[in-house]
């Protein structure tokens, strides 16, 4: 196999990277991902120098992200300020940057292996797994971070993803590398080392397949998740506002004797709820005596400009917010999105880029402002429903492992209102996969409500209990799944994968074989 790869090593790296993304949803071909990383390990091991090994890792990353992030091109079809074809260029440009991180992982692993003067592939495999953790974490935090499609997401169908309760999502990425490395060891007839890696992974997979989440007890709060199937092209149309509200009202249903928690998607309400009491009254009319409505909507800020004869009020900024509305038309709580999407919700270097004709993807002239970060909102008790705490992560925020929960004020569940209507067919299912990883890591159920899908109720083990598929209007009416006791990861955050990183390096040093 190595001889075939080395005939055209750059093309081999690019193709292997491209095919490796088939392990992500919607394809979920995780064995293909393992085979592709096996090929990458062979290319790294055979690299003669630092420049070559970085180039191979970078080309692998270029292919990997180009396929995995193809849905981004679809977002540009809803943006008239920029040409639609630019979306394909945006995918390539972003992939050119993101590919640096696999390149760095390959380079640092190869360099450390050379410095240790080790013989045999095992230390290189362990080092590459360790540095994959480091570079994937770096990708999630550098330049505001872009943590989409962490490698560990390919393990969701296998049951191995349950290990994220211990080592987090970044640690799962290392397990993918180790599994691929086991294939490499087996191909070299290292019949002691390969089982030493595969056996623990099989045990973890079995654990993941048989471990069940706790069942909702009798009297658990009732929830209703609404998905109206309103497309991005019509979402902000003023002429359709009344029709959209009727759709939301119909799917919310008539009030019942038992209190409900009702969940609407991100930006569901085209009103400023703190400034428009008539809209709050309108929403309250849909609620029973003990109901609460969680809905997305903007919070706006104005600045006053003295024009001499009069004072003009100009929109200066906004928050992408989640509002909790009560049956008596009060606002019980509000959460402001903290991790905003660059070029989506705000335009970096606006003074330079706007004159060039570039704009952000979300409609409007003013940028969104970030909120204070993860926190738990208090939901009041009502008609036998106990008071509880709800964590909120709006849309994109849910992808950031270790940053979704206020650890000092742990909630009973997380709500992830989202707008995936412009994510094509690949983006929404990838988004769902990442929400499932957060549920496993934190031991918390997650509720997702989106305009066009995938809306879902996810239990604390990451199982999708109920879902509404893409392009379907409907609602989910069920009981709120219970939380699990805090996991190791929920207590330590990303210190856990970093400890795993150190362990992998230590084992690599301990198992190196001196070159003769």
């Amino acid at each position: 196999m190595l001889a075939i790869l080395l005939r055209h090593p750059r093309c081999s790296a690019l193709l292997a990277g491209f095919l490796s993304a088939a392990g992500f949803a919607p394809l979920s071909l995780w064995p293909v991902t393992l085979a592709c990383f096996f090929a990458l390990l062979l290319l790294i091991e055979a690299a003669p120098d630092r420049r070559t090994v970085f180039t191979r890792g970078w080309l692998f990353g270029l292919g990997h992200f180009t396929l995995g992030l193809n849905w981004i091109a679809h977002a540009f079809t809803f943006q008239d300020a920029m040409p639609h074809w630019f979306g394909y260029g945006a995918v390539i440009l972003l992939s050119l940057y993101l590919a640096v991180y696999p390149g760095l992982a390959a380079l640092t692993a190869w360099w450390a292996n050379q410095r240790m003067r080790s013989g045999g592939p095992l230390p290189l495999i362990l080092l590459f797994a360790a540095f994959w953790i480091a570079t994937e974490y770096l990708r999630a935090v550098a330049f505001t971070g872009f943590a989409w499609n962490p490698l560990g997401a390919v393990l969701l169908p296998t049951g191995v993803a349950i290990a994220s309760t211990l080592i987090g999502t970044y640690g799962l990425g290392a397990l993918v590398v180790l599994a691929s490395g086991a294939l490499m060891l087996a191909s070299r007839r290292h019949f002691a080392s390969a089982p030493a890696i595969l056996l623990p992974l099989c045990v973890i997979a079995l654990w993941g397949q048989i471990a069940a989440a706790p069942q909702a007890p009798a009297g658990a709060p009732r929830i209703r998740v609404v998905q109206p199937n309103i497309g991005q092209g019509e979402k902000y149309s003023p002429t359709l506002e009344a029709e959209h509200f009727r759709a939301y009202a119909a799917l919310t249903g008539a009030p019942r004797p038992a209190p409900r928690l009702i969940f609407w998607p991100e930006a569901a309400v085209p009103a400023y709820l703190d400034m428009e009491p008539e809209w709050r009254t309108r929403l309250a009319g849909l609620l029973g005596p003990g109901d609460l409505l969680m809905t997305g909507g903007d919070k706006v800020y104005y600045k006053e400009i003295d024009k001499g004869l009069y004072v003009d009020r100009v929109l200066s900024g906004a928050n992408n917010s989640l509002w909790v509305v009560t049956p008596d038309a009060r606002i019980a709580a509000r959460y402001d999105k903290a991790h905003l999407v660059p070029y989506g919700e705000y335009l970096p270097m606006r003074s330079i880029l706007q004159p060039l004709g570039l704009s952000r993807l979300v409609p409007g002239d003013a940028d969104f402002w970030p909120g204070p970060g993860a926190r738990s909102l208090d939901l009041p008790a009502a008609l036998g429903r106990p008071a509880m705490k709800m964590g909120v992560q709006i849309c994109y925020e849910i992808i950031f492992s270790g940053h979704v929960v206020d650890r000092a004020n742990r909630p009973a569940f997380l709500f992830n209102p989202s707008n995936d209507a412009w994510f094509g067919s690949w983006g929404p299912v990838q988004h769902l996969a990442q929400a499932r990883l957060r549920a496993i890591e934190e031991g918390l159920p997650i509720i997702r409500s989106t305009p066009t899908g995938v809306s879902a109720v996810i239990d604390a083990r990451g199982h999708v209990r109920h879902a509404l598929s893409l392009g379907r209007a409907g609602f989910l009416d069920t009981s709120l799944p219970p939380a699990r006791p805090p996991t190791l990861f929920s207590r330590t955050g990303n210190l856990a994968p970093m400890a795993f990183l150190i362990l992998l390096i230590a084992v690599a040093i301990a198992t190196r074989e001196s070159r003769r």
Side-chain angles (χ1 to χ4, degrees), residues 224-231 234 240-254 262-265 268 279 282-283 286 451 472-475:
R224 177 167 283 217
V225 182
V226 172
Q227 179 173 297
N229 194 30
I230 297 173
E234 57 187 23
L240 295 175
E241 182 179 303
E243 181 181 333
H244 291 168
F245 183 80
R246 286 193 296 271
Y248 276 110
L251 293 170
T252 298
I262 301 166
F263 299 92
W264 287 9
W279 256 97
R282 196 178 181 188
L283 295 174
L286 305 177
R472 175 187 168 194
F475 61 85

Side-chain angles (χ1 to χ4, degrees), residues 2 6 85 172 188 193:
L2 180 59
L6 291 180
W85 59 261
L172 286 186
R188 302 282 180 83
S193 301

Side-chain angles (χ1 to χ4, degrees), residues 113-375:
N113 194 49
Q114 292 291 313
R115 295 285 292 180
M116 291 195 316
R117 299 184 60 80
S118 64
L122 181 57
L124 176 64
I125 294 165
L126 295 168
L127 290 168
F128 187 51
F131 290 117
W132 188 272
I133 294 175
T135 55
E136 194 160 68
Y137 176 78
L138 184 61
R139 170 164 72 91
V141 298
F143 307 111
T144 78
F146 190 73
W148 197 273
N149 276 356
L151 182 58
V154 306
L155 295 177
L156 277 169
T158 69
V160 178
I162 199 171
S164 64
T165 59
L166 305 175
I167 57 176
T169 292
Y170 305 124
L172 286 186
L175 295 187
V176 175
V177 174
L178 292 176
S180 301
L183 299 178
M184 182 180 181
L185 292 169
S187 71
R188 302 282 180 83
R189 301 177 182 270
H190 288 246
F191 296 126
S193 301
I197 294 174
L198 288 176
L199 183 59
L201 292 177
C202 291
V203 171
I204 294 170
L206 180 62
W207 171 33
Q209 295 294 344
I210 65 175
Q215 298 297 309
R222 297 297 299 180
I223 63 174
R224 177 167 283 217
V225 182
V226 172
Q227 179 173 297
N229 194 30
I230 297 173
Q232 188 68 16
E234 57 187 23
K235 181 178 179 63
Y236 295 101
S237 172
T239 60
L240 295 175
E241 182 179 303
E243 181 181 333
H244 291 168
F245 183 80
R246 286 193 296 271
Y248 276 110
L251 293 170
T252 298
R256 299 177 180 178
R260 301 175 299 167
L261 301 176
I262 301 166
F263 299 92
W264 287 9
E266 178 187 15
V269 177
Y272 308 135
L273 292 182
D274 57 334
M275 302 168 64
E276 300 182 62
E278 64 277 9
W279 256 97
R280 296 200 302 272
T281 302
R282 196 178 181 188
L283 295 174
L286 305 177
L287 307 180
D291 293 346
L292 291 175
L293 172 64
M294 276 59 74
T295 181
D298 294 342
K299 161 68 177 172
V300 296
Y301 302 89
Y302 291 92
K303 61 182 178 181
E304 295 185 347
I305 300 177
D306 189 354
K307 295 290 188 177
L309 297 177
Y310 65 96
V311 175
D312 192 12
R313 295 178 73 229
V314 178
L315 183 64
S316 59
N319 295 128
N320 184 351
S321 301
L322 183 283
W323 307 79
V324 181
V325 181
T326 67
D328 57 356
R330 291 184 301 105
I331 297 171
R334 188 183 93 233
Y335 170 83
D336 299 326
K337 186 177 182 180
H339 209 131
L340 301 175
V341 184
Y343 304 99
E345 292 169 309
Y346 70 97
L347 185 64
M349 301 180 292
R350 176 175 285 275
S351 61
I352 298 173
L353 297 180
Q354 192 167 29
L356 298 176
L358 296 180
S359 176
R360 60 185 177 86
L361 293 173
V362 176
D365 296 324
D367 285 333
F368 283 91
W369 295 344
R375 65 189 185 97

